[in-house]
Amino acid sequence: MTSPDSAADIRLDLHHRALGDMSSGKPKRLVRALEYQAEDLQAGAFEYTTEADFLSVLRTAAATDRLVETWRKQLTRWDYNEKVAWSSHLPRTDERRADVYTLLGLGDETGKLLDALVPVSKAAGAVVISTEHKIWYTPQSLQGRPWYWPAYRKLLVDKGWPEDIVAGLDEASDRVVERLADPTAAEAYQSKGLVVGYVQSGKTANFAGVIAKAIDAGYRLVIVLGGTLNMLRAQTQRRLDMELVGRENILRGGNEYESDYADDPAWSQGKFAAFGAMPSSLGAFDIHRMTTRDVDYQSLQMGIAALEADKQEPGLPLYDPRNLHRAAARLMVVKKNKRVLEKLVKDLRKIQTPLAEIPVLIVDDESDEASVNTTDLAKPNAERTAINQKISELLRMLPRAQYVGYTATPFANVFIDPSDTEDIFPKDFIISLPRPDGYMGARDFHDLDSDLTDEERTFVNSNERAHVRSIVVEGGDEGDEDDACLEGAMDMFVLTAAMKLYREDKGGLGDRYFQHHTMLIHESVRQDDHRELLGRVTRLWWNAGYLGPAGRERLRHLFDTDIAPVSAVRADGQAVPSSFEELAPFIGPAAIRIGGDDKPIIVVNGDKDIETGEADFDKRSIWKILIGGQKLARGFTVEGLTVSYFRRRAGNASTLMQMGRWFGFREGYRDLVRLYLGRQETMGKKEIDLYEGFEAICRDEEAFRAELAQYSVTVDGRPQVTPDRVPPLVWQHIPWLKPTSPNKMYNSRLVTVRSPGEWQEPTAYPTRAVDLRHNTGLWTPVLDSLSAEPAQLSYHLREKDVTHRFSALTGRIGSAELLALVSGVRWGAPSQFAPHLDYLREITAGGTAQVDDWIVLAPQHAQPGKRIRLAADGRPYSYFARDRRRAPLFGAISDVKHRAAALRIAGSLTDAGDAGVESLVAPRRGVIVLYPIVEPEHRATLVEGVSLDPSRVVMAFGFVAPASARSDDGRVLRFTTVDSSQEGVAIIDTASGAAAGLG
């Protein structure tokens, strides 16, 4: 009889073999596959080939059992596969999983047990905006060739990456590679695309996967543009060398102690990828590095031999499969520096292999920095900016080059002139990566869409309360005020360091689990300011008294009022001391870990700080306070960042967002992260709140991603939106960032936005008194017609277990009357509302009307005050205090708690049991919600009982069209071409004859 242990091993071996044979294809009958594998094993193996045997194990299995882990890997792959012939259902759905079980021939009980042990991941996939492309990248086309991608995938799994995260990376990288040109095609094609991730969210992992798959498919020269700083280039080079290139390709037969990574702990710890021998000796191909961690691209010493492609069949072009798949790949990570790129361009011109034969992949990390041309080429004698010019030269020289930009701040790339064929506009695809699990981003520091008042917000329900601390410097000596705020932040840094040591010791994480613990102070980009700040921080550190009674009392107070209550509700299972006394023994070691070498602070404002190893996170454990500016503001990952102190101003959204180094993965200490932000900073003549600035950017970014997701759904297999039509979708969100030169215009104009059952909120209201008075005059009769007393309305959101309540004056307006009214509204930027107005015309006055009437709601405040009269004898109405974020645009206007009832009345939510709301519900009915706004400059002039001049009121509104008001073709957008003679050209000159005659 077989022992339990050997039975488990035999069973595991059988299932591993059977699932391995299906790993790259469709699910097949499991029992038959197990029986086939059993033929090669010992005689007793057949008793473990039945479903009954598998079922008996699943009934008592745990999610961590080896057999379950084997099934988790393969089920997750099938769940995530985007395009399969064996299922008509969408990936990551229960229906797709059911198809898997059917093909495997599994019974209901087996399926239910597997679902319980390996739940279907419902994670979002990548969002793709793309032109139609030729299908070439298929499992069949790659049969037997993949080498570097399987090795990279295995390395990630061995590092502990969850299977669903690896599967998501697999699918997202497929979406990129399949949109490149076929490297073996006889006809050259140059694809250009953009991949949009989140700040510090793992974009490098995606492009490492793309590179692995691209070279497996046949791309033989890979050029990675690795930022504008040595430190960023070196960081990218190391990551690719460690996870993709591997030890053998790095050493190339040399002594491992002479490697450029000999002083890197990860090298000696065996963390670099290894293949066992040179890949070429194992039937694959080698990767030749043209750059190393410490050395950027240099003019090659031995002529150009290192760049020459090795053709096995000289009479055939390199891209012929008989040459391509036997040739080594070249990889270089180069800095975006004019001289470096000039060397590369010069050397490429010298090689004998025809450049038109080389399949090239150019990956541009942080592609919105330096790569984008900022010169108006329409001006006389204008030249491209230096880096853009060199990238354009590379694209001209290499007709088989594919360009893929990566960024977290995509607006600059989206606004490149698409008609400039030598530039890097993503003409073929824009891919928005999903937000990764465990990622801590802008949303995690803000309470977006929260309907809670300030008084109702707690450490439990408010991200701002939990993680954000205000820097407010008022009057007096600003230096002293700032010192007080800075000392508080430094106290938090020491206290969180002690918490990390406590978790290592008492929480079971183990010694050195937290390799890095850092605080970032970012107030300026000026090196003189950094020197002054270094002096202040040094003085504060040595006077802090962390080992004495004064320092301990400050830390005790901070623990009791901040760390303890936040971690009590947000520690997510991590150890939390029951009292300050329990944490106190770890404070001394924490302070010594930070400043025991008498160097608690590192100033990072030049590459030398990295080159000397002082701030090199790869070479040593760093528990320090970092003072920095631009060098730490983009691309560079500050490991272990726990406390950020930020007062730096910026003039545009992309720059400000990239400064958010506090975004990233914070495993084991998410609850300890604190962000100290300037709330009253001076920028020019204005006083700005940096927290509000980040929130505004977050909203813009989320709106952009939401639009891409909404419009990425194909209709009849064809895209609704192609990349050249993305700019008109987004430019209204950031009107101060001009998309192209003044003498040009979009050839594609957004005409209609169909939004059945969706909340819409125009924000581009006029600023001229005459226009404001006009709009108030339009809406005043509607307000006056509303109910004498407010109705009490509510809606219970079951999934959140939250009830939204408010009172509102109510009324009804006919569809034709409402259309006439909104058609007459004046705007600060008419193009924002125009596509919505076209939709309202379509459903009201079209061939088949789809709306009968509209309910009008005018929300009223529960408390007295905040009332205005629009006429001397008029009735009072609640007004709303809102500010313009960027003229003419307001920020959010509506209150979240008003939306659910409106959505229910319009038919897009189900009955939640409120009689007041249900009395307003009817088929083919929409909702208008009115918000009379009084801007800051007029609030001070308000006198109770005295009417307000109509020119001092902004009559804002939100609306929900009937949920049934859908188009027959399913399209939500409609575009028109401005100049039909230039169909497909995205941006045209207004000076051209065709465009000049357009109204």
Side-chain angles (χ1 to χ4, degrees), residues 290-291 295-300 307 332 334 340 343-344 347:
M290 307 277 83
T291 54
V295 181
D296 203 340
Y297 186 83
Q298 305 286 339
S299 290
L300 304 176
L307 272 174
M332 61 182 76
V334 301
V340 172
K343 293 175 190 174
L344 174 58
D347 284 349

Side-chain angles (χ1 to χ4, degrees), residues 542-738:
W542 294 116
N543 291 334
Y546 292 121
L547 303 181
R552 289 298 177 97
E553 281 309 304
R554 290 199 318 276
L555 296 183
R556 177 191 297 276
H557 177 74
L558 193 58
F559 176 84
D560 290 340
T561 60
D562 194 325
I563 288 288
V566 173
S567 294
V569 295
R570 290 188 174 238
D572 196 26
Q574 297 294 335
V576 180
S578 59
S579 66
F580 180 75
E581 281 68 30
E582 190 178 352
L583 180 65
F586 297 91
I587 291 174
I592 292 170
R593 184 91 174 260
I594 296 165
D597 59 355
D598 290 340
K599 296 179 179 179
I601 306 148
I602 301 174
V603 178
V604 184
N605 55 23
D607 282 331
K608 63 179 178 60
D609 304 299
I610 305 299
E611 292 165 359
T612 60
E614 190 174 8
D616 191 335
F617 292 96
D618 296 332
K619 291 183 177 179
R620 69 186 186 107
S621 174
I622 294 178
W623 284 47
K624 299 292 179 187
I625 298 170
L626 275 61
I627 295 174
Q630 189 63 25
K631 297 293 187 291
L632 294 179
R634 178 183 283 273
F636 187 75
T637 301
V638 181
E639 301 285 357
L641 182 58
T642 309
V643 178
S644 301
Y645 189 88
F646 189 88
R647 295 189 64 191
R648 163 84 189 280
R649 279 77 73 195
N652 65 74
S654 296
T655 301
L656 196 60
M657 198 66 167
Q658 285 289 353
M659 293 177 188
R661 297 294 94 193
W662 47 88
F663 305 143
F665 297 94
R666 304 287 179 250
E667 189 172 353
Y669 64 101
R670 189 185 182 104
D671 57 312
L672 305 180
V673 174
R674 296 294 185 272
L675 169 58
Y676 291 76
L677 268 180
R679 305 301 296 259
Q680 295 177 356
E681 299 298 323
T682 302
M683 189 168 80
K685 296 181 179 180
K686 294 188 297 183
E687 186 176 89
I688 63 170
D689 181 338
L690 289 172
Y691 183 73
E692 287 186 356
F694 274 104
E695 181 168 310
I697 296 166
C698 182
R699 290 183 185 279
D700 282 349
E701 181 187 279
E702 293 210 345
F704 177 61
R705 292 177 189 275
E707 285 194 312
L708 291 183
Q710 181 179 0
Y711 306 141
S712 67
V713 179
T714 58
V715 175
D716 297 330
R718 297 176 65 86
Q720 293 189 67
V721 176
T722 50
D724 61 310
R725 285 179 165 175
V726 166
L729 291 180
V730 301
W731 77 276
Q732 287 289 352
H733 290 90
I734 42 175
W736 42 266
L737 180 59
K738 299 301 181 186

Side-chain angles (χ1 to χ4, degrees), residues 447-452 457 695 699 758-765 804 806 857-859 861 879-883 885 890-903 927-933 954-960:
D447 300 323
L448 302 182
D449 301 329
S450 173
D451 60 335
L452 299 173
R457 299 189 185 199
E695 181 168 310
R699 290 183 185 279
E758 296 178 8
W759 179 270
Q760 297 294 333
E761 187 171 302
T763 60
Y765 291 95
H804 290 173
F806 68 102
L857 302 178
H861 300 308
Y879 75 84
F880 294 82
R882 301 288 188 265
D883 299 345
R885 186 195 307 168
F890 283 88
I893 289 174
S894 65
D895 191 319
V896 176
K897 65 174 176 284
H898 301 156
R899 296 181 189 174
L903 291 167
V927 182
I928 293 282
V929 185
L930 296 180
Y931 293 95
I933 290 174
V954 179
M955 291 301 298
F957 65 93
F959 71 92
V960 185

Side-chain angles (χ1 to χ4, degrees), residues 431-448:
I431 295 178
S432 177
L433 299 177
R435 176 190 165 100
D437 286 343
Y439 174 71
M440 197 170 188
R443 174 170 278 275
D444 299 289
F445 293 89
H446 296 271
D447 300 323
L448 302 182

Side-chain angles (χ1 to χ4, degrees), residues 815-844:
S815 58
E817 187 181 354
L818 186 279
L819 178 62
L821 192 155
V822 295
S823 297
V825 171
R826 295 177 184 175
W827 300 94
S831 56
Q832 188 201 54
F833 185 65
H836 298 289
L837 180 59
D838 194 79
Y839 169 59
L840 296 178
R841 288 195 185 103
E842 184 180 277
I843 65 174
T844 304

